[in-house]
Amino acid sequence: MNKYFPEIRKMIESGGFKPGDPVPPAADIARELGAAEADIEEALKELIYEGELARDIPEPSETIIVPKVTLWGTLGGNHSITKEAKKRGDDPGVKIIGWKLVDSWPSIAKRLGLEEGEKVQVMERLRSVNGKPVAIEVSYFPAKYYPGITKDLFEEKGTGQSSFKV
């Protein structure tokens, strides 16, 4: 865990960042904490991964916000929203809100067993059940193990939207 993660989390919990408002740029937070901007950017990525922060929605952007709503929470490991919704007799939905090929950063490289800087395809999806948002799902695909992966593979209806099925 990045050493600035707890400090930024405290800023969120104390109301320093209001739900729905943009988080200040990493450079501003770095100045405030006397930190390197790269360290703050890494902490922000980790806070997004943990569900403490989110990308601005419905229009995906580089703007990071404190979520306005509490979704299902952070689910780690292997969970199938598609399978769970179908089991309940509900209609799962999906909208890709982010799709980027990036260099892995230290925490994600460690989680995926990669060398820092190896390419990772990052997919952010808004998951819904019966047309209502229930989760923002972030998936990381090591590029060397998923050649040719494209976002359209994950946008189909029914079981086609399941990462497990793809």
Side-chain angles (χ1 to χ4, degrees):
M1 178 184 306
N2 177 287
K3 68 181 183 178
Y4 295 102
F5 179 100
E7 290 184 55
I8 298 172
R9 178 183 264 164
K10 283 180 194 172
M11 290 175 170
I12 296 166
E13 291 171 351
S14 70
F17 303 147
K18 303 287 185 219
D21 286 348
V23 171
D28 293 354
I29 298 171
R31 272 193 298 281
E32 183 177 335
L33 297 178
E37 188 173 343
D39 289 337
I40 298 303
E41 287 173 352
E42 182 181 330
L44 293 173
K45 287 177 185 175
E46 289 181 15
L47 285 158
I48 290 169
Y49 179 83
E50 296 298 329
E52 302 281 339
L53 296 174
R55 300 265 181 223
D56 193 13
I57 296 174
E59 296 300 322
S61 68
E62 293 302 315
T63 303
I64 299 170
I65 64 168
V66 178
K68 288 183 186 179
V69 295
T70 302
L71 302 172
W72 281 3
T74 301
L75 302 174
N78 297 325
H79 298 280
S80 174
I81 293 171
T82 303
K83 184 177 179 181
E84 183 63 26
K86 287 187 170 292
K87 183 171 84 174
R88 296 177 185 200
D90 293 324
D91 182 34
V94 64
K95 177 182 178 187
I96 294 187
I97 57 175
W99 183 266
K100 287 186 186 176
L101 183 64
V102 299
D103 294 335
S104 62
W105 55 96
S107 61
I108 202 66
K110 183 178 178 182
R111 288 180 183 146
L112 298 175
L114 302 173
E115 295 294 321
E116 186 177 338
E118 283 190 78
K119 294 291 186 189
V120 174
Q121 187 68 58
V122 180
M123 175 178 65
E124 295 173 299
R125 298 192 296 174
L126 177 62
R127 301 305 307 265
S128 61
V129 174
N130 299 328
K132 295 185 180 186
V134 295
I136 295 174
E137 175 187 64
V138 182
S139 299
Y140 303 90
F141 303 97
K144 67 183 180 182
Y145 299 129
Y146 295 90
I149 195 170
T150 60
K151 72 180 191 176
D152 61 301
L153 294 172
F154 297 91
E155 292 180 318
E156 295 179 23
K157 287 280 190 194
T159 58
Q161 65 191 257
S162 168
S163 298
F164 297 105
K165 182 75 172 175
V166 172

